[in-house]
Amino acid sequence: MAEYTNARGNEAAEDLHELSDGEEEEEDGDEEQWQWMEEESDSRSVTCLFCDRSLRSVSAALQHCSAEHRVDLADVIRKHSLDDYGYIKMINFIRSTKCSASCLTGLPDAPLPWESEDFLRPVLQDDLLLQTDPEELCASEGSCSSGTVSHDALLHRTEAAEEALARAMDDLNKIKLLTQDLILNAETGRSGGNLGAVAELREDEDEAYFSSYGHYGIHEKMLKDKVRTESYRDFMYRNPELFRDKVVLDVGCGTGILSMFAARAGAKQVIAVDQSSIIYQAMDIVRANQLEDKITLIKGRIEDIKLPVEKVDIIISEWMGYLLLFESMLDSVLYARDLYLADGGSVYPDLCNISLAAVGDAQKHQDHIAFWDDVYGFNMACMKKAVVPEAVVEVVNADSLISEPTVIQTIDCNSVCLSELEFTSDFCLKITNSTDCTAIVGYFDIFFDKGCGNKVMFSTGPQVTKTHWKQTVFLLERPVSVQAGEELKGKITVRKHKRDPRSLLVTFELRDRKLTYGLQ
Ligand code: SAH
């Protein structure tokens, strides 16, 4: 289950949960599968290297070689420092030459008789010994040779255990330092201190972020969001002149859908990058659609990998999070732009707006806030203080809008710089109904504009078909009374959370109140 609440919400995980209902049936299915696997492994025996005996498992074969033929394979591997290839060649050499066990003892250090690449070819079909990792074989040597653990093996294990312990102590130390840092920061309100440990924590958070994208559910949700996916498709299919013979980079390719659109639109080469394990599915998907000649898939963070080309003509990416900037993935797109985009190249989508509108919805306000005054007869009003500062991601009914929308920020992905992704903006909401303003709603619009003969756009606002981004609602604990025709003026600040830069802090200054919301 995805631990990180990413910009597409946790419904993917919920979907998975739903799918796992009816546990009993599945358990039965699992059991059957296990039985099947056991049967299968039983039916695959291992032929001894030096005689015709068939053994039930690799470890039984090793034991047999040691007891009957006086050959300890782990010793041979270690003595000649065999890597995976050396080991495979040795097995095939023994099988093809049918050499006796004694020819393995007293071999010179070099050249070994199985040096030729010919010995990479398997002699037996489905030879389980070839599927065995020589390193593992050496590590388990103590238990599979004569039944007693050798002194060397014990030493090896002790060293490994000591190393693991040292690493664990190191981790504990980092956690200790980090906790001290966090407490200190909370007390003094300053940042900084033990940056190394903070950076490591960020790495862990990033791991959670990418693993949330490893689940298929979130990709299903994005692909099924037709407003989103068809906009990307229409932009590429309706503007083939932009793509013809171009090199395209897809930052965060997921299942590879945008890369495949680009390839179909005429791109010469598409490089698709994703750090999440979903890229392994993308590899199959690209092959299933015979696009492997056009699309090169690379697993890794765009910031960590090296592209096989120096420059690209176009960067495409679907990086948008709640209120556009949540998730901070645009940072990665800008990194790719600054490093790889050729002069005259373009990033798509290119223009993005963030908008606000006033909401008057007493019922929703009641559901979220007054609710805590009486919960099954208990007063939980203290919860309001915790609930209000959390922005709510939900679909807003267009009928509850009580102002015209206003754009508070426009971002041009071809020119914006990182520091501009945190900003303060004055806004003015033209009120259309005399009522109580219970919340402010935020959303974004996306434009494929630059150089397009056929421009494409989509909105995530309450007035149009809903998307998986829904809208972001900032509830006012105390509603503000407004009059039709009035201008409700305010100021909004959007900034990254210092300790979790993928989440946002949004501050409103409205009338004489200052309200800060988290979006996590
Ligand atoms: N392009 C796909 C997936 C979009 S979701 C689609 O439109 O359906 C965003 C994807 O970007 C996720 O799969 C995530 O793992 C990936 N991603 C986010 N930041 C990244 C980075 N810095 N480097 C590589 N991949 C990244």
Side-chain angles (χ1 to χ4, degrees), residues 410-454:
T410 296
I411 290 175
D412 181 340
C413 297
N414 283 294
S415 56
V416 73
C417 63
L418 208 56
S419 61
E420 289 167 325
L421 302 184
E422 296 185 283
F423 59 89
T424 296
S425 167
D426 290 322
F427 63 84
C428 172
L429 295 168
K430 289 207 180 87
I431 299 295
T432 50
N433 302 32
S434 299
T435 181
D436 276 350
C437 171
T438 55
I440 305 285
V441 60
Y443 60 90
F444 60 90
D445 304 324
I446 294 295
F447 300 83
F448 299 88
D449 189 85
K450 187 182 167 197
C452 293
N454 294 302

mmCIF file of all heavy atoms in Angstrom, residues 410-454:
data_model
loop_
_atom_site.group_PDB
_atom_site.id
_atom_site.type_symbol
_atom_site.label_atom_id
_atom_site.label_comp_id
_atom_site.label_asym_id
_atom_site.label_seq_id
_atom_site.Cartn_x
_atom_site.Cartn_y
_atom_site.Cartn_z
ATOM 1 N N THR A 410 0.396 32.523 -13.302
ATOM 2 C CA THR A 410 0.577 31.860 -14.592
ATOM 3 C C THR A 410 2.017 31.390 -14.669
ATOM 4 O O THR A 410 2.932 32.145 -14.320
ATOM 5 C CB THR A 410 0.287 32.843 -15.749
ATOM 6 O OG1 THR A 410 -1.086 33.197 -15.671
ATOM 7 C CG2 THR A 410 0.548 32.206 -17.100
ATOM 8 N N ILE A 411 2.194 30.151 -15.091
ATOM 9 C CA ILE A 411 3.548 29.594 -15.179
ATOM 10 C C ILE A 411 3.810 29.206 -16.631
ATOM 11 O O ILE A 411 3.001 28.508 -17.249
ATOM 12 C CB ILE A 411 3.686 28.367 -14.254
ATOM 13 C CG1 ILE A 411 3.652 28.825 -12.799
ATOM 14 C CG2 ILE A 411 4.967 27.589 -14.545
ATOM 15 C CD1 ILE A 411 3.664 27.699 -11.797
ATOM 16 N N ASP A 412 4.914 29.678 -17.163
ATOM 17 C CA ASP A 412 5.331 29.252 -18.508
ATOM 18 C C ASP A 412 6.494 28.272 -18.308
ATOM 19 O O ASP A 412 7.585 28.676 -17.894
ATOM 20 C CB ASP A 412 5.778 30.469 -19.329
ATOM 21 C CG ASP A 412 6.183 30.068 -20.739
ATOM 22 O OD1 ASP A 412 6.480 28.867 -20.960
ATOM 23 O OD2 ASP A 412 6.202 30.949 -21.619
ATOM 24 N N CYS A 413 6.234 27.011 -18.613
ATOM 25 C CA CYS A 413 7.231 25.976 -18.312
ATOM 26 C C CYS A 413 8.510 26.134 -19.136
ATOM 27 O O CYS A 413 9.528 25.527 -18.813
ATOM 28 C CB CYS A 413 6.646 24.583 -18.557
ATOM 29 S SG CYS A 413 5.274 24.259 -17.477
ATOM 30 N N ASN A 414 8.455 26.935 -20.186
ATOM 31 C CA ASN A 414 9.665 27.124 -20.989
ATOM 32 C C ASN A 414 10.587 28.190 -20.402
ATOM 33 O O ASN A 414 11.752 28.256 -20.767
ATOM 34 C CB ASN A 414 9.296 27.475 -22.431
ATOM 35 C CG ASN A 414 8.844 26.234 -23.177
ATOM 36 O OD1 ASN A 414 9.642 25.319 -23.400
ATOM 37 N ND2 ASN A 414 7.566 26.160 -23.492
ATOM 38 N N SER A 415 10.049 29.007 -19.486
ATOM 39 C CA SER A 415 10.908 30.079 -18.974
ATOM 40 C C SER A 415 10.940 30.182 -17.451
ATOM 41 O O SER A 415 11.837 30.815 -16.902
ATOM 42 C CB SER A 415 10.459 31.425 -19.560
ATOM 43 O OG SER A 415 9.088 31.609 -19.250
ATOM 44 N N VAL A 416 9.982 29.550 -16.769
ATOM 45 C CA VAL A 416 9.919 29.730 -15.310
ATOM 46 C C VAL A 416 11.188 29.179 -14.649
ATOM 47 O O VAL A 416 11.816 28.240 -15.167
ATOM 48 C CB VAL A 416 8.659 29.026 -14.737
ATOM 49 C CG1 VAL A 416 8.806 27.516 -14.735
ATOM 50 C CG2 VAL A 416 8.340 29.529 -13.333
ATOM 51 N N CYS A 417 11.593 29.788 -13.540
ATOM 52 C CA CYS A 417 12.724 29.201 -12.821
ATOM 53 C C CYS A 417 12.241 28.708 -11.458
ATOM 54 O O CYS A 417 11.159 29.072 -10.993
ATOM 55 C CB CYS A 417 13.902 30.161 -12.719
ATOM 56 S SG CYS A 417 13.519 31.624 -11.804
ATOM 57 N N LEU A 418 13.068 27.851 -10.866
ATOM 58 C CA LEU A 418 12.686 27.120 -9.655
ATOM 59 C C LEU A 418 12.143 28.043 -8.560
ATOM 60 O O LEU A 418 11.117 27.764 -7.940
ATOM 61 C CB LEU A 418 13.918 26.356 -9.153
ATOM 62 C CG LEU A 418 13.664 25.092 -8.375
ATOM 63 C CD1 LEU A 418 12.811 24.117 -9.158
ATOM 64 C CD2 LEU A 418 14.991 24.440 -8.000
ATOM 65 N N SER A 419 12.830 29.186 -8.372
ATOM 66 C CA SER A 419 12.447 30.055 -7.250
ATOM 67 C C SER A 419 11.050 30.651 -7.468
ATOM 68 O O SER A 419 10.369 31.028 -6.506
ATOM 69 C CB SER A 419 13.474 31.164 -7.072
ATOM 70 O OG SER A 419 13.517 31.927 -8.251
ATOM 71 N N GLU A 420 10.593 30.703 -8.722
ATOM 72 C CA GLU A 420 9.275 31.293 -8.984
ATOM 73 C C GLU A 420 8.126 30.331 -8.647
ATOM 74 O O GLU A 420 6.953 30.704 -8.750
ATOM 75 C CB GLU A 420 9.171 31.713 -10.455
ATOM 76 C CG GLU A 420 10.039 32.909 -10.763
ATOM 77 C CD GLU A 420 10.201 33.168 -12.252
ATOM 78 O OE1 GLU A 420 10.246 32.200 -13.043
ATOM 79 O OE2 GLU A 420 10.286 34.343 -12.619
ATOM 80 N N LEU A 421 8.496 29.094 -8.292
ATOM 81 C CA LEU A 421 7.440 28.132 -7.953
ATOM 82 C C LEU A 421 6.940 28.348 -6.523
ATOM 83 O O LEU A 421 6.018 27.700 -6.068
ATOM 84 C CB LEU A 421 7.936 26.689 -8.151
ATOM 85 C CG LEU A 421 8.417 26.379 -9.576
ATOM 86 C CD1 LEU A 421 8.797 24.914 -9.719
ATOM 87 C CD2 LEU A 421 7.354 26.744 -10.623
ATOM 88 N N GLU A 422 7.591 29.264 -5.801
ATOM 89 C CA GLU A 422 7.065 29.719 -4.512
ATOM 90 C C GLU A 422 6.750 31.190 -4.721
ATOM 91 O O GLU A 422 7.599 31.935 -5.236
ATOM 92 C CB GLU A 422 8.101 29.532 -3.406
ATOM 93 C CG GLU A 422 8.443 28.061 -3.184
ATOM 94 C CD GLU A 422 9.385 27.849 -2.015
ATOM 95 O OE1 GLU A 422 10.589 28.103 -2.195
ATOM 96 O OE2 GLU A 422 8.931 27.442 -0.942
ATOM 97 N N PHE A 423 5.553 31.608 -4.368
ATOM 98 C CA PHE A 423 5.177 32.978 -4.728
ATOM 99 C C PHE A 423 4.115 33.546 -3.796
ATOM 100 O O PHE A 423 3.447 32.805 -3.062
ATOM 101 C CB PHE A 423 4.655 33.006 -6.173
ATOM 102 C CG PHE A 423 3.456 32.115 -6.380
ATOM 103 C CD1 PHE A 423 2.175 32.595 -6.182
ATOM 104 C CD2 PHE A 423 3.618 30.780 -6.749
ATOM 105 C CE1 PHE A 423 1.072 31.774 -6.337
ATOM 106 C CE2 PHE A 423 2.519 29.948 -6.907
ATOM 107 C CZ PHE A 423 1.241 30.445 -6.707
ATOM 108 N N THR A 424 3.961 34.853 -3.848
ATOM 109 C CA THR A 424 2.872 35.555 -3.152
ATOM 110 C C THR A 424 2.112 36.345 -4.198
ATOM 111 O O THR A 424 2.719 36.914 -5.104
ATOM 112 C CB THR A 424 3.441 36.528 -2.099
ATOM 113 O OG1 THR A 424 4.118 35.749 -1.116
ATOM 114 C CG2 THR A 424 2.352 37.316 -1.415
ATOM 115 N N SER A 425 0.789 36.340 -4.084
ATOM 116 C CA SER A 425 0.006 37.044 -5.097
ATOM 117 C C SER A 425 -1.215 37.692 -4.453
ATOM 118 O O SER A 425 -1.879 37.082 -3.612
ATOM 119 C CB SER A 425 -0.393 36.000 -6.160
ATOM 120 O OG SER A 425 -1.368 36.498 -6.987
ATOM 121 N N ASP A 426 -1.487 38.940 -4.834
ATOM 122 C CA ASP A 426 -2.725 39.598 -4.375
ATOM 123 C C ASP A 426 -3.863 39.095 -5.247
ATOM 124 O O ASP A 426 -3.659 38.851 -6.444
ATOM 125 C CB ASP A 426 -2.606 41.122 -4.547
ATOM 126 C CG ASP A 426 -1.608 41.696 -3.560
ATOM 127 O OD1 ASP A 426 -1.582 41.215 -2.409
ATOM 128 O OD2 ASP A 426 -0.843 42.597 -3.953
ATOM 129 N N PHE A 427 -5.028 38.928 -4.678
ATOM 130 C CA PHE A 427 -6.157 38.539 -5.533
ATOM 131 C C PHE A 427 -7.406 39.331 -5.162
ATOM 132 O O PHE A 427 -7.483 39.931 -4.077
ATOM 133 C CB PHE A 427 -6.426 37.037 -5.453
ATOM 134 C CG PHE A 427 -6.829 36.537 -4.093
ATOM 135 C CD1 PHE A 427 -8.156 36.608 -3.666
ATOM 136 C CD2 PHE A 427 -5.882 35.991 -3.235
ATOM 137 C CE1 PHE A 427 -8.526 36.144 -2.415
ATOM 138 C CE2 PHE A 427 -6.250 35.521 -1.976
ATOM 139 C CZ PHE A 427 -7.573 35.601 -1.568
ATOM 140 N N CYS A 428 -8.356 39.334 -6.086
ATOM 141 C CA CYS A 428 -9.590 40.069 -5.880
ATOM 142 C C CYS A 428 -10.729 39.214 -6.443
ATOM 143 O O CYS A 428 -10.746 38.911 -7.631
ATOM 144 C CB CYS A 428 -9.466 41.406 -6.631
ATOM 145 S SG CYS A 428 -10.991 42.306 -6.658
ATOM 146 N N LEU A 429 -11.626 38.765 -5.580
ATOM 147 C CA LEU A 429 -12.716 37.888 -6.018
ATOM 148 C C LEU A 429 -13.995 38.722 -6.177
ATOM 149 O O LEU A 429 -14.477 39.322 -5.191
ATOM 150 C CB LEU A 429 -12.927 36.768 -5.001
ATOM 151 C CG LEU A 429 -11.749 35.790 -4.856
ATOM 152 C CD1 LEU A 429 -11.914 34.897 -3.627
ATOM 153 C CD2 LEU A 429 -11.621 34.932 -6.108
ATOM 154 N N LYS A 430 -14.532 38.776 -7.393
ATOM 155 C CA LYS A 430 -15.768 39.554 -7.633
ATOM 156 C C LYS A 430 -16.955 38.702 -7.207
ATOM 157 O O LYS A 430 -17.312 37.716 -7.848
ATOM 158 C CB LYS A 430 -15.879 39.902 -9.120
ATOM 159 C CG LYS A 430 -14.888 40.929 -9.558
ATOM 160 C CD LYS A 430 -15.391 41.714 -10.766
ATOM 161 C CE LYS A 430 -14.360 42.744 -11.181
ATOM 162 N NZ LYS A 430 -13.344 42.235 -12.113
ATOM 163 N N ILE A 431 -17.559 39.090 -6.078
ATOM 164 C CA ILE A 431 -18.635 38.280 -5.484
ATOM 165 C C ILE A 431 -19.919 38.404 -6.326
ATOM 166 O O ILE A 431 -20.300 39.510 -6.741
ATOM 167 C CB ILE A 431 -18.895 38.744 -4.031
ATOM 168 C CG1 ILE A 431 -17.616 38.560 -3.193
ATOM 169 C CG2 ILE A 431 -20.074 38.007 -3.415
ATOM 170 C CD1 ILE A 431 -17.153 37.143 -2.982
ATOM 171 N N THR A 432 -20.582 37.267 -6.545
ATOM 172 C CA THR A 432 -21.793 37.265 -7.379
ATOM 173 C C THR A 432 -23.067 37.028 -6.552
ATOM 174 O O THR A 432 -24.159 37.273 -7.033
ATOM 175 C CB THR A 432 -21.686 36.173 -8.460
ATOM 176 O OG1 THR A 432 -21.318 34.940 -7.818
ATOM 177 C CG2 THR A 432 -20.661 36.508 -9.526
ATOM 178 N N ASN A 433 -22.941 36.511 -5.319
ATOM 179 C CA ASN A 433 -24.127 36.229 -4.479
ATOM 180 C C ASN A 433 -23.939 36.828 -3.092
ATOM 181 O O ASN A 433 -22.831 36.759 -2.548
ATOM 182 C CB ASN A 433 -24.310 34.720 -4.252
ATOM 183 C CG ASN A 433 -24.452 33.930 -5.524
ATOM 184 O OD1 ASN A 433 -23.883 34.280 -6.549
ATOM 185 N ND2 ASN A 433 -25.203 32.840 -5.450
ATOM 186 N N SER A 434 -25.019 37.352 -2.520
ATOM 187 C CA SER A 434 -24.934 37.842 -1.131
ATOM 188 C C SER A 434 -25.188 36.666 -0.191
ATOM 189 O O SER A 434 -26.308 36.145 -0.130
ATOM 190 C CB SER A 434 -25.986 38.929 -0.884
ATOM 191 O OG SER A 434 -25.751 40.007 -1.760
ATOM 192 N N THR A 435 -24.170 36.256 0.491
ATOM 193 C CA THR A 435 -24.275 35.070 1.366
ATOM 194 C C THR A 435 -23.039 34.972 2.250
ATOM 195 O O THR A 435 -22.246 35.924 2.308
ATOM 196 C CB THR A 435 -24.436 33.783 0.498
ATOM 197 O OG1 THR A 435 -24.562 32.657 1.356
ATOM 198 C CG2 THR A 435 -23.242 33.561 -0.416
ATOM 199 N N ASP A 436 -22.841 33.818 2.906
ATOM 200 C CA ASP A 436 -21.602 33.603 3.657
ATOM 201 C C ASP A 436 -20.585 32.885 2.779
ATOM 202 O O ASP A 436 -20.909 31.867 2.167
ATOM 203 C CB ASP A 436 -21.875 32.714 4.879
ATOM 204 C CG ASP A 436 -22.390 33.527 6.045
ATOM 205 O OD1 ASP A 436 -22.345 34.776 5.947
ATOM 206 O OD2 ASP A 436 -22.841 32.917 7.031
ATOM 207 N N CYS A 437 -19.371 33.406 2.743
ATOM 208 C CA CYS A 437 -18.299 32.696 2.024
ATOM 209 C C CYS A 437 -17.735 31.683 3.023
ATOM 210 O O CYS A 437 -17.221 32.058 4.082
ATOM 211 C CB CYS A 437 -17.231 33.697 1.574
ATOM 212 S SG CYS A 437 -15.763 32.888 0.921
ATOM 213 N N THR A 438 -17.857 30.392 2.691
ATOM 214 C CA THR A 438 -17.443 29.344 3.639
ATOM 215 C C THR A 438 -16.067 28.768 3.310
ATOM 216 O O THR A 438 -15.472 28.065 4.123
ATOM 217 C CB THR A 438 -18.467 28.191 3.641
ATOM 218 O OG1 THR A 438 -18.612 27.726 2.293
ATOM 219 C CG2 THR A 438 -19.808 28.652 4.183
ATOM 220 N N ALA A 439 -15.611 29.009 2.087
ATOM 221 C CA ALA A 439 -14.320 28.438 1.682
ATOM 222 C C ALA A 439 -13.795 29.149 0.442
ATOM 223 O O ALA A 439 -14.536 29.862 -0.241
ATOM 224 C CB ALA A 439 -14.478 26.947 1.369
ATOM 225 N N ILE A 440 -12.506 28.933 0.182
ATOM 226 C CA ILE A 440 -11.913 29.368 -1.092
ATOM 227 C C ILE A 440 -11.520 28.083 -1.812
ATOM 228 O O ILE A 440 -10.960 27.167 -1.195
ATOM 229 C CB ILE A 440 -10.637 30.211 -0.860
ATOM 230 C CG1 ILE A 440 -10.906 31.409 0.058
ATOM 231 C CG2 ILE A 440 -10.001 30.621 -2.172
ATOM 232 C CD1 ILE A 440 -11.648 32.551 -0.582
ATOM 233 N N VAL A 441 -11.833 28.021 -3.107
ATOM 234 C CA VAL A 441 -11.438 26.836 -3.863
ATOM 235 C C VAL A 441 -10.293 27.196 -4.825
ATOM 236 O O VAL A 441 -10.269 28.298 -5.381
ATOM 237 C CB VAL A 441 -12.641 26.224 -4.633
ATOM 238 C CG1 VAL A 441 -13.251 27.211 -5.619
ATOM 239 C CG2 VAL A 441 -12.231 24.957 -5.378
ATOM 240 N N GLY A 442 -9.353 26.263 -4.971
ATOM 241 C CA GLY A 442 -8.229 26.456 -5.901
ATOM 242 C C GLY A 442 -8.192 25.338 -6.922
ATOM 243 O O GLY A 442 -8.575 24.197 -6.634
ATOM 244 N N TYR A 443 -7.764 25.649 -8.136
ATOM 245 C CA TYR A 443 -7.629 24.632 -9.189
ATOM 246 C C TYR A 443 -6.677 25.172 -10.257
ATOM 247 O O TYR A 443 -6.183 26.298 -10.143
ATOM 248 C CB TYR A 443 -8.997 24.272 -9.802
ATOM 249 C CG TYR A 443 -9.710 25.441 -10.434
ATOM 250 C CD1 TYR A 443 -9.510 25.759 -11.784
ATOM 251 C CD2 TYR A 443 -10.562 26.246 -9.681
ATOM 252 C CE1 TYR A 443 -10.145 26.841 -12.355
ATOM 253 C CE2 TYR A 443 -11.207 27.331 -10.257
ATOM 254 C CZ TYR A 443 -10.993 27.622 -11.597
ATOM 255 O OH TYR A 443 -11.617 28.698 -12.155
ATOM 256 N N PHE A 444 -6.431 24.367 -11.290
ATOM 257 C CA PHE A 444 -5.502 24.839 -12.337
ATOM 258 C C PHE A 444 -6.005 24.489 -13.735
ATOM 259 O O PHE A 444 -6.830 23.585 -13.911
ATOM 260 C CB PHE A 444 -4.091 24.259 -12.113
ATOM 261 C CG PHE A 444 -4.035 22.751 -12.130
ATOM 262 C CD1 PHE A 444 -3.812 22.060 -13.320
ATOM 263 C CD2 PHE A 444 -4.194 22.017 -10.966
ATOM 264 C CE1 PHE A 444 -3.742 20.672 -13.341
ATOM 265 C CE2 PHE A 444 -4.135 20.630 -10.977
ATOM 266 C CZ PHE A 444 -3.912 19.950 -12.159
ATOM 267 N N ASP A 445 -5.485 25.239 -14.703
ATOM 268 C CA ASP A 445 -5.770 24.996 -16.128
ATOM 269 C C ASP A 445 -4.444 24.763 -16.837
ATOM 270 O O ASP A 445 -3.424 25.360 -16.471
ATOM 271 C CB ASP A 445 -6.446 26.219 -16.771
ATOM 272 C CG ASP A 445 -7.707 26.609 -16.037
ATOM 273 O OD1 ASP A 445 -8.411 25.711 -15.558
ATOM 274 O OD2 ASP A 445 -7.968 27.833 -15.939
ATOM 275 N N ILE A 446 -4.476 23.890 -17.859
ATOM 276 C CA ILE A 446 -3.256 23.491 -18.567
ATOM 277 C C ILE A 446 -3.398 23.780 -20.060
ATOM 278 O O ILE A 446 -4.439 23.466 -20.655
ATOM 279 C CB ILE A 446 -3.038 21.964 -18.351
ATOM 280 C CG1 ILE A 446 -2.739 21.679 -16.885
ATOM 281 C CG2 ILE A 446 -1.956 21.400 -19.250
ATOM 282 C CD1 ILE A 446 -1.451 22.271 -16.369
ATOM 283 N N PHE A 447 -2.344 24.340 -20.655
ATOM 284 C CA PHE A 447 -2.402 24.719 -22.078
ATOM 285 C C PHE A 447 -1.225 24.127 -22.859
ATOM 286 O O PHE A 447 -0.082 24.209 -22.404
ATOM 287 C CB PHE A 447 -2.339 26.245 -22.229
ATOM 288 C CG PHE A 447 -3.471 26.948 -21.520
ATOM 289 C CD1 PHE A 447 -3.398 27.216 -20.162
ATOM 290 C CD2 PHE A 447 -4.613 27.333 -22.211
ATOM 291 C CE1 PHE A 447 -4.437 27.863 -19.499
ATOM 292 C CE2 PHE A 447 -5.657 27.983 -21.563
ATOM 293 C CZ PHE A 447 -5.568 28.246 -20.193
ATOM 294 N N PHE A 448 -1.538 23.530 -24.006
ATOM 295 C CA PHE A 448 -0.519 23.131 -24.976
ATOM 296 C C PHE A 448 -0.604 24.206 -26.048
ATOM 297 O O PHE A 448 -1.533 24.194 -26.863
ATOM 298 C CB PHE A 448 -0.838 21.751 -25.556
ATOM 299 C CG PHE A 448 -0.878 20.667 -24.521
ATOM 300 C CD1 PHE A 448 -2.063 20.380 -23.838
ATOM 301 C CD2 PHE A 448 0.260 19.923 -24.219
ATOM 302 C CE1 PHE A 448 -2.106 19.367 -22.881
ATOM 303 C CE2 PHE A 448 0.223 18.915 -23.258
ATOM 304 C CZ PHE A 448 -0.959 18.639 -22.593
ATOM 305 N N ASP A 449 0.318 25.126 -26.028
ATOM 306 C CA ASP A 449 0.102 26.353 -26.791
ATOM 307 C C ASP A 449 1.231 26.670 -27.768
ATOM 308 O O ASP A 449 0.997 26.916 -28.948
ATOM 309 C CB ASP A 449 -0.065 27.494 -25.768
ATOM 310 C CG ASP A 449 -0.515 28.772 -26.414
ATOM 311 O OD1 ASP A 449 -1.735 28.925 -26.590
ATOM 312 O OD2 ASP A 449 0.369 29.583 -26.761
ATOM 313 N N LYS A 450 2.481 26.603 -27.260
ATOM 314 C CA LYS A 450 3.616 27.134 -28.016
ATOM 315 C C LYS A 450 3.756 26.475 -29.400
ATOM 316 O O LYS A 450 3.933 25.257 -29.490
ATOM 317 C CB LYS A 450 4.905 26.916 -27.210
ATOM 318 C CG LYS A 450 6.112 27.565 -27.829
ATOM 319 C CD LYS A 450 7.368 27.271 -27.012
ATOM 320 C CE LYS A 450 8.603 27.656 -27.809
ATOM 321 N NZ LYS A 450 9.813 27.068 -27.291
ATOM 322 N N GLY A 451 3.671 27.261 -30.425
ATOM 323 C CA GLY A 451 3.895 26.784 -31.801
ATOM 324 C C GLY A 451 2.868 25.779 -32.287
ATOM 325 O O GLY A 451 3.083 25.121 -33.313
ATOM 326 N N CYS A 452 1.753 25.642 -31.589
ATOM 327 C CA CYS A 452 0.767 24.627 -31.991
ATOM 328 C C CYS A 452 -0.204 25.206 -33.010
ATOM 329 O O CYS A 452 -0.846 26.236 -32.744
ATOM 330 C CB CYS A 452 -0.055 24.155 -30.796
ATOM 331 S SG CYS A 452 0.877 23.254 -29.577
ATOM 332 N N GLY A 453 -0.337 24.538 -34.143
ATOM 333 C CA GLY A 453 -1.379 24.906 -35.100
ATOM 334 C C GLY A 453 -2.734 24.623 -34.466
ATOM 335 O O GLY A 453 -3.684 25.386 -34.628
ATOM 336 N N ASN A 454 -2.796 23.521 -33.745
ATOM 337 C CA ASN A 454 -4.042 23.159 -33.060
ATOM 338 C C ASN A 454 -3.802 23.156 -31.559
ATOM 339 O O ASN A 454 -3.255 22.204 -31.014
ATOM 340 C CB ASN A 454 -4.495 21.773 -33.515
ATOM 341 C CG ASN A 454 -4.875 21.778 -34.979
ATOM 342 O OD1 ASN A 454 -5.755 22.528 -35.391
ATOM 343 N ND2 ASN A 454 -4.184 20.968 -35.774
#
